[in-house]
Structure formats: structure tokens, C-alpha cells
Amino acid sequence: MTQKILVLPGDGIGPEITAQASRILAACQAHGLDVEVEEALVGGSAYDAHGEPLPAETLEKARAARAILLGAVGGPKWDKLEDLAKRPEKGLLGLRKNLGLFANLRPAITYPQLAEASSLKPELVAGLDIMIVRELTGGIYFGQPRGIEERNGERVGFNTYVYSESEIERIGRVAFEMASKRGRKLCSVDKANVLEVTILWREVMERLAPEYPDVELSHMYVDNAAMQLVRAPKQFDVMVTGNMFGDILSDAAAMLTGSIGMLPSASLNESGQGMYEPCHGSAPDIAGKGIANPLATILSVAMMLRYSLDAPALAQRIEDAVGKVLDDGLRTADIASEGTRIVSTAEMGDAVLAAFEAL
Ligand code: NAD
């Protein structure tokens, strides 16, 4: 059955990088991927055209799509919008909420060719391949009650860190399954020495473990996990954690790789429908210059093929094509180093496409 894909270019460099990713998607179609691709507006560009960062038409198309490829949203043009509900990022949050995208997959991969770009010693990060599975729709970012109120003559701010067993179980299953398809090691990150909610988190992970006998489950407190990520990151295969810890640890892990322009991400719901996007933002400082790195977005297409479209061979082919282009010494400006050739966004797209076809 033909599956629908929705491309949401968004703002800033979004249209430039999704244009290159769409070319790869078209090449996959030519190699038998049975999909129908449409585009829609989201973020600031949607606000400019329709007065809403997530127009009803976009949401409807998103609901009907098996997978969404998003560029990035936001930029200084919309930073002064007084009505917070109209800000570009509300477009993103609205998509996550409406589609129930509870599982955020954040790979941190260091290509050996780019190991020098990391702030850590190359030998610590060369060949790094971690997958952080972050719970995205619960935890302290959404827990009630929350607020700032007057108590005993002073203002008090408060939030609630809450997870139900079912919420923990569904993210746990995503992580166990991910680990069983990768290096079979799962590290669950919590703060069970202090927080009851993460005592429950740990219990549920332990309860799931016998169902995945091929996966070795371990537990780590979040403070230690942060230390271990910068001390010896290659000890990790898959990490699973709640929304807030995952937010912080996935950004730290991203920086181990040295380049934000290389990192894809996925957010999935229970039916495997997903939104795929680069980890970086809309980079307004370089928008329109034709120099943005399209590889994170192209690699997001690979994740889409693997996790929503069940086309792992094409996914691998895209990843191999990216590896080949890096081997050939082609770099956009953000990942350039001595002895490499700097290319534009479109030239990088051309090169990946050529390598994809040659494989
Ligand atoms: P950013 O990721 O857009 O940019 C940070 C730095 O990295 C900039 O110097 C930028 O030029 C560079 N950079 C980012 N992506 C690049 C790429 N593909 N190629 C080359 N260089 C790249 O983060 P920011 O500057 O903090 O935010 C800019 C805007 O993006 C803001 O409006 C922010 O709200 C938005 N944002 C959106 C998302 C999203 O859509 N998911 C995520 C983060 C930030």
C-alpha cells in the first residue's frame, strides 16, 4: 500500500536542507519505495501565510501521513510575537502532542572521518554510536500541578515529576526493542536514590527485562551518566530515560560528535508513525546562503525508512552514501577541516545522491 509522507520545510535553513533530503527520498522512490510525498507549512512560515504556526490543513495532512520530515522552525522574525501560542515552536509542540509522539530517538554517532571535530580526544569518540531513547510527552515538563504562587508571604515555584507505570512501560519497550536490534545493551538512567518516581521507573524496567533475555539491562544515576558520557562514552549502546534527563543527556551526547549538522532524530507514537528531523535549529545566521549542512536531514530520511517505512536496506544505503562522501573529503563549512573540500548545501546533496546511485 502506498504510504504518505509529509515534508514540512519550516523556517530559516529548513527549506534548503529539506530540498536536498527530498531529492534522496525521490531516489528511493525510483528504487521501489512506495510513497506519496506532499509538502505543507509549519512554524513561522505558516504563521506568515495563515496566522497560525500549525494550520488545520497541516495537522490534517500530518495525521494522514505515515511519516513527517521536518526541517526546522523559528527565527528572529517571530521572536517578538506577544501571543506565545502563535510562536513557531508551538507548531512543533502541537504536532508532537496531536500525534502522541512519546518516544524520542536521538542517535549520537561520530563518523571516524569527523572524530577530530569533537571536543573530546578522537580516540574516545571515534566510532561512537549511542542511541538515547527519551520519553517525550510526560514527566516533569507536563506534570500537574505546576505554577508560581504566593505562600507565606513569598512566591514559590513548583512542578510535578510524575510517570504512570503504563507510560514507563511503553517507552521501556521501545528501548528494549531498539537494544535487541543493536548492541543488546540497555542502560536505564534515573535518580532512584532520591526520587520516588524514578524508583517506579527502575522497577518497571526490571519487570520488562525477562521479556528481552537477549538484552543486558543496567541502571545508572543521572549524575553518573552525565560523567560517564564525557569520560568513556563508548561504553553505551542504548540509553533510556525520562523527558528532562533525556533532554539534557541527549544534547550532551550530541556535542560529543562535534557537529550538530550531522545528527538526525525521530519521534514515534505507538503505531510507529513518526516525525523525523535534524537535531539542530533553523540557523537563521546562515539561512539563504546555501552553506547549511543537509546531512542531518538526509540522515533523518534514513531513520524514517528504518523506523516508519520498514525499508532498512534503503536506510543503510543512504547512511553508506553519506559515509562515502565524507571519505571522499567533501565537507560543508561547519564540518570542514584541513585537507577537505568545502562544498555548498546543493553540492553536498548532489554528492550524496551520486554515491547513493553508485552503491
Ligand atoms: P541552531 O541549531 O539553529 O544554530 C546553532 C548554530 O549552529 C548556528 O551557528 C548555526 O549556524 C549552526 N548550525 C545549525 N544547523 C546547521 C547546519 N545544518 N549547517 C551548518 N550550521 C548549522 O540553534 P539556535 O541558533 O539556538 O536557534 C535558531 C532558531 O532555531 C531559534 O529560533 C530556535 O528557536 C530554533 N530552533 C528550532 C529547533 C527545531 O525546529 N527543532 C530546534 C532548536 C532551535
Side-chain angles (χ1 to χ4, degrees):
M1 196 187 78
T2 308
Q3 312 235 49
K4 286 191 176 158
I5 305 229
L6 180 64
V7 178
L8 300 173
D11 309 318
I13 60 170
E16 299 165 52
I17 53 179
T18 49
Q20 299 312 316
S22 293
R23 293 171 70 200
I24 293 287
L25 202 47
C28 292
Q29 283 176 289
H31 286 275
L33 183 72
D34 188 8
V35 293
E36 192 185 298
V37 184
E38 14 175 34
E39 274 202 15
L41 294 173
V42 74
S45 53
Y47 173 79
D48 288 348
H50 301 288
E52 295 289 339
L54 181 57
E57 188 194 329
T58 300
L59 183 56
E60 200 178 308
K61 285 183 177 171
R63 283 207 170 103
R66 175 69 181 158
I68 299 162
L69 179 70
L70 176 93
V73 298
K77 183 176 174 194
W78 303 282
D79 280 349
K80 294 197 183 67
L81 279 178
E82 293 217 343
D83 184 352
L84 292 184
K86 305 282 185 195
R87 293 263 179 103
E89 47 272 33
K90 288 290 175 194
L92 256 189
L93 296 176
L95 281 167
R96 280 183 192 162
K97 183 160 172 259
N98 278 285
L99 301 179
L101 303 172
F102 72 93
N104 187 215
L105 312 184
R106 291 273 307 256
I109 295 170
T110 307
Y111 287 85
Q113 304 93 326
L114 301 178
E116 294 289 338
S118 173
S119 48
L120 295 194
K121 293 181 197 124
E123 64 268 25
L124 286 183
V125 293
L128 181 80
D129 184 356
I130 304 177
M131 177 69 83
I132 298 188
V133 178
R134 166 189 170 196
E135 201 290 327
L136 201 57
T137 52
I140 195 165
Y141 291 177
F142 294 95
Q144 294 287 349
R146 60 192 295 158
I148 301 174
E149 64 184 32
E150 189 91 12
R151 289 184 199 165
N152 301 325
E154 65 171 342
R155 292 202 309 151
V156 174
F158 55 97
N159 290 86
T160 303
Y161 191 174
V162 55
Y163 271 120
S164 65
E165 285 182 295
S166 58
E167 280 177 304
I168 302 169
E169 186 173 325
R170 68 178 183 174
I171 194 73
R173 289 196 183 282
V174 171
F176 272 105
E177 270 165 37
M178 182 71 55
S180 71
K181 290 185 200 135
R182 292 175 37 110
R184 306 208 168 108
K185 279 194 336 188
L186 175 60
C187 178
S188 171
V189 176
D190 61 39
K191 190 72 182 168
N193 50 342
V194 180
L195 298 169
E196 283 79 358
V197 51
T198 68
I199 294 176
L200 182 66
W201 178 282
R202 196 178 273 221
E203 273 177 31
V204 174
M205 292 296 159
E206 283 290 336
R207 199 167 70 207
L208 289 176
E211 293 183 44
Y212 303 90
D214 56 334
V215 176
E216 181 198 319
L217 173 69
S218 62
H219 304 277
M220 202 178 270
Y221 297 140
V222 63
D223 42 347
N224 188 23
M227 263 195 308
Q228 296 300 328
L229 267 178
V230 291
R231 191 188 72 85
K234 282 194 257 182
Q235 68 185 281
F236 297 111
D237 173 24
V238 178
M239 301 173 88
V240 61
T241 189
N243 204 342
M244 179 169 62
F245 296 162
D247 190 5
I248 299 165
L249 293 180
S250 62
D251 270 9
M255 284 325 291
L256 297 177
T257 71
S259 174
I260 197 158
M262 295 295 301
L263 294 173
S265 76
S267 307
L268 304 176
N269 68 15
E270 262 156 311
S271 71
Q273 185 188 26
M275 183 155 82
Y276 297 83
E277 55 182 311
C279 286
H280 58 74
S282 60
D285 52 332
I286 58 165
K289 295 187 179 161
I291 58 170
N293 186 346
L295 293 179
T297 319
I298 288 172
L299 291 167
S300 299
V301 173
M303 284 191 90
M304 173 192 286
L305 292 165
R306 186 166 280 124
Y307 297 116
S308 286
L309 299 174
D310 197 22
L314 284 171
Q316 190 62 49
R317 191 161 163 175
I318 294 176
E319 287 160 357
D320 290 347
V322 169
K324 168 78 171 61
V325 167
L326 295 176
D327 279 343
D328 290 346
L330 269 61
R331 305 280 190 273
T332 43
D334 57 308
I335 51 171
S337 58
E338 227 178 280
T340 59
R341 183 157 78 81
I342 297 186
V343 295
S344 68
T345 309
E347 285 167 332
M348 186 55 98
D350 291 345
V352 176
L353 207 51
F356 178 86
E357 291 299 349
L359 278 166

PDB file of all heavy atoms in Angstrom, residues 323-337:
ATOM      1  N   GLY A 323      28.606   8.181   4.353  1.00  0.00           N
ATOM      2  CA  GLY A 323      29.960   7.771   4.739  1.00  0.00           C
ATOM      3  C   GLY A 323      30.942   7.904   3.580  1.00  0.00           C
ATOM      4  O   GLY A 323      32.071   8.379   3.746  1.00  0.00           O
ATOM      5  N   LYS A 324      30.493   7.534   2.399  1.00  0.00           N
ATOM      6  CA  LYS A 324      31.354   7.581   1.206  1.00  0.00           C
ATOM      7  C   LYS A 324      31.738   9.033   0.878  1.00  0.00           C
ATOM      8  O   LYS A 324      32.908   9.333   0.587  1.00  0.00           O
ATOM      9  CB  LYS A 324      30.584   6.926   0.040  1.00  0.00           C
ATOM     10  CG  LYS A 324      31.157   7.118  -1.330  1.00  0.00           C
ATOM     11  CD  LYS A 324      32.348   6.155  -1.522  1.00  0.00           C
ATOM     12  CE  LYS A 324      32.871   6.109  -2.947  1.00  0.00           C
ATOM     13  NZ  LYS A 324      33.374   7.358  -3.472  1.00  0.00           N
ATOM     14  N   VAL A 325      30.752   9.927   0.961  1.00  0.00           N
ATOM     15  CA  VAL A 325      31.001  11.337   0.651  1.00  0.00           C
ATOM     16  C   VAL A 325      32.009  11.932   1.659  1.00  0.00           C
ATOM     17  O   VAL A 325      32.901  12.697   1.291  1.00  0.00           O
ATOM     18  CB  VAL A 325      29.654  12.106   0.661  1.00  0.00           C
ATOM     19  CG1 VAL A 325      29.867  13.596   0.675  1.00  0.00           C
ATOM     20  CG2 VAL A 325      28.809  11.685  -0.531  1.00  0.00           C
ATOM     21  N   LEU A 326      31.865  11.527   2.925  1.00  0.00           N
ATOM     22  CA  LEU A 326      32.827  12.003   3.934  1.00  0.00           C
ATOM     23  C   LEU A 326      34.217  11.411   3.651  1.00  0.00           C
ATOM     24  O   LEU A 326      35.230  12.113   3.755  1.00  0.00           O
ATOM     25  CB  LEU A 326      32.370  11.626   5.344  1.00  0.00           C
ATOM     26  CG  LEU A 326      31.074  12.282   5.836  1.00  0.00           C
ATOM     27  CD1 LEU A 326      30.693  11.736   7.207  1.00  0.00           C
ATOM     28  CD2 LEU A 326      31.195  13.800   5.903  1.00  0.00           C
ATOM     29  N   ASP A 327      34.247  10.138   3.278  1.00  0.00           N
ATOM     30  CA  ASP A 327      35.523   9.505   2.913  1.00  0.00           C
ATOM     31  C   ASP A 327      36.199  10.253   1.770  1.00  0.00           C
ATOM     32  O   ASP A 327      37.420  10.371   1.722  1.00  0.00           O
ATOM     33  CB  ASP A 327      35.297   8.060   2.427  1.00  0.00           C
ATOM     34  CG  ASP A 327      35.152   7.094   3.578  1.00  0.00           C
ATOM     35  OD1 ASP A 327      35.538   7.460   4.708  1.00  0.00           O
ATOM     36  OD2 ASP A 327      34.631   5.983   3.356  1.00  0.00           O
ATOM     37  N   ASP A 328      35.378  10.745   0.840  1.00  0.00           N
ATOM     38  CA  ASP A 328      35.923  11.464  -0.311  1.00  0.00           C
ATOM     39  C   ASP A 328      36.411  12.875   0.044  1.00  0.00           C
ATOM     40  O   ASP A 328      36.887  13.597  -0.826  1.00  0.00           O
ATOM     41  CB  ASP A 328      34.860  11.562  -1.422  1.00  0.00           C
ATOM     42  CG  ASP A 328      34.591  10.192  -2.050  1.00  0.00           C
ATOM     43  OD1 ASP A 328      35.400   9.275  -1.820  1.00  0.00           O
ATOM     44  OD2 ASP A 328      33.570  10.053  -2.756  1.00  0.00           O
ATOM     45  N   GLY A 329      36.210  13.270   1.317  1.00  0.00           N
ATOM     46  CA  GLY A 329      36.747  14.555   1.764  1.00  0.00           C
ATOM     47  C   GLY A 329      35.845  15.753   1.502  1.00  0.00           C
ATOM     48  O   GLY A 329      36.282  16.890   1.628  1.00  0.00           O
ATOM     49  N   LEU A 330      34.590  15.516   1.162  1.00  0.00           N
ATOM     50  CA  LEU A 330      33.669  16.644   0.953  1.00  0.00           C
ATOM     51  C   LEU A 330      33.081  17.077   2.299  1.00  0.00           C
ATOM     52  O   LEU A 330      32.668  16.234   3.106  1.00  0.00           O
ATOM     53  CB  LEU A 330      32.536  16.222   0.003  1.00  0.00           C
ATOM     54  CG  LEU A 330      32.786  16.472  -1.476  1.00  0.00           C
ATOM     55  CD1 LEU A 330      33.997  15.705  -1.954  1.00  0.00           C
ATOM     56  CD2 LEU A 330      31.569  16.102  -2.300  1.00  0.00           C
ATOM     57  N   ARG A 331      33.032  18.390   2.514  1.00  0.00           N
ATOM     58  CA  ARG A 331      32.502  18.907   3.775  1.00  0.00           C
ATOM     59  C   ARG A 331      31.752  20.206   3.531  1.00  0.00           C
ATOM     60  O   ARG A 331      32.220  21.055   2.765  1.00  0.00           O
ATOM     61  CB  ARG A 331      33.645  19.256   4.766  1.00  0.00           C
ATOM     62  CG  ARG A 331      34.626  18.142   5.075  1.00  0.00           C
ATOM     63  CD  ARG A 331      34.063  17.172   6.106  1.00  0.00           C
ATOM     64  NE  ARG A 331      35.083  16.255   6.582  1.00  0.00           N
ATOM     65  CZ  ARG A 331      35.385  15.087   5.987  1.00  0.00           C
ATOM     66  NH1 ARG A 331      34.745  14.701   4.901  1.00  0.00           N
ATOM     67  NH2 ARG A 331      36.327  14.309   6.491  1.00  0.00           N
ATOM     68  N   THR A 332      30.623  20.406   4.219  1.00  0.00           N
ATOM     69  CA  THR A 332      30.077  21.759   4.287  1.00  0.00           C
ATOM     70  C   THR A 332      30.926  22.523   5.312  1.00  0.00           C
ATOM     71  O   THR A 332      31.682  21.910   6.077  1.00  0.00           O
ATOM     72  CB  THR A 332      28.594  21.726   4.727  1.00  0.00           C
ATOM     73  OG1 THR A 332      28.449  20.790   5.790  1.00  0.00           O
ATOM     74  CG2 THR A 332      27.675  21.364   3.559  1.00  0.00           C
ATOM     75  N   ALA A 333      30.773  23.862   5.313  1.00  0.00           N
ATOM     76  CA  ALA A 333      31.699  24.692   6.093  1.00  0.00           C
ATOM     77  C   ALA A 333      31.738  24.313   7.579  1.00  0.00           C
ATOM     78  O   ALA A 333      32.791  24.350   8.220  1.00  0.00           O
ATOM     79  CB  ALA A 333      31.321  26.155   5.933  1.00  0.00           C
ATOM     80  N   ASP A 334      30.589  23.913   8.146  1.00  0.00           N
ATOM     81  CA  ASP A 334      30.519  23.632   9.592  1.00  0.00           C
ATOM     82  C   ASP A 334      31.353  22.434  10.009  1.00  0.00           C
ATOM     83  O   ASP A 334      31.707  22.311  11.184  1.00  0.00           O
ATOM     84  CB  ASP A 334      29.052  23.420  10.013  1.00  0.00           C
ATOM     85  CG  ASP A 334      28.392  22.297   9.212  1.00  0.00           C
ATOM     86  OD1 ASP A 334      28.467  22.332   7.978  1.00  0.00           O
ATOM     87  OD2 ASP A 334      27.835  21.371   9.838  1.00  0.00           O
ATOM     88  N   ILE A 335      31.653  21.519   9.083  1.00  0.00           N
ATOM     89  CA  ILE A 335      32.443  20.327   9.468  1.00  0.00           C
ATOM     90  C   ILE A 335      33.790  20.279   8.740  1.00  0.00           C
ATOM     91  O   ILE A 335      34.466  19.253   8.756  1.00  0.00           O
ATOM     92  CB  ILE A 335      31.652  19.016   9.202  1.00  0.00           C
ATOM     93  CG1 ILE A 335      31.090  18.971   7.771  1.00  0.00           C
ATOM     94  CG2 ILE A 335      30.532  18.829  10.206  1.00  0.00           C
ATOM     95  CD1 ILE A 335      30.498  17.614   7.397  1.00  0.00           C
ATOM     96  N   ALA A 336      34.148  21.392   8.105  1.00  0.00           N
ATOM     97  CA  ALA A 336      35.392  21.403   7.320  1.00  0.00           C
ATOM     98  C   ALA A 336      36.621  21.345   8.221  1.00  0.00           C
ATOM     99  O   ALA A 336      36.600  21.821   9.353  1.00  0.00           O
ATOM    100  CB  ALA A 336      35.440  22.656   6.463  1.00  0.00           C
ATOM    101  N   SER A 337      37.662  20.707   7.719  1.00  0.00           N
ATOM    102  CA  SER A 337      38.947  20.733   8.420  1.00  0.00           C
ATOM    103  C   SER A 337      40.029  20.736   7.334  1.00  0.00           C
ATOM    104  O   SER A 337      39.722  20.614   6.146  1.00  0.00           O
ATOM    105  CB  SER A 337      39.090  19.513   9.337  1.00  0.00           C
ATOM    106  OG  SER A 337      38.977  18.344   8.567  1.00  0.00           O
TER     107      SER A 337
END
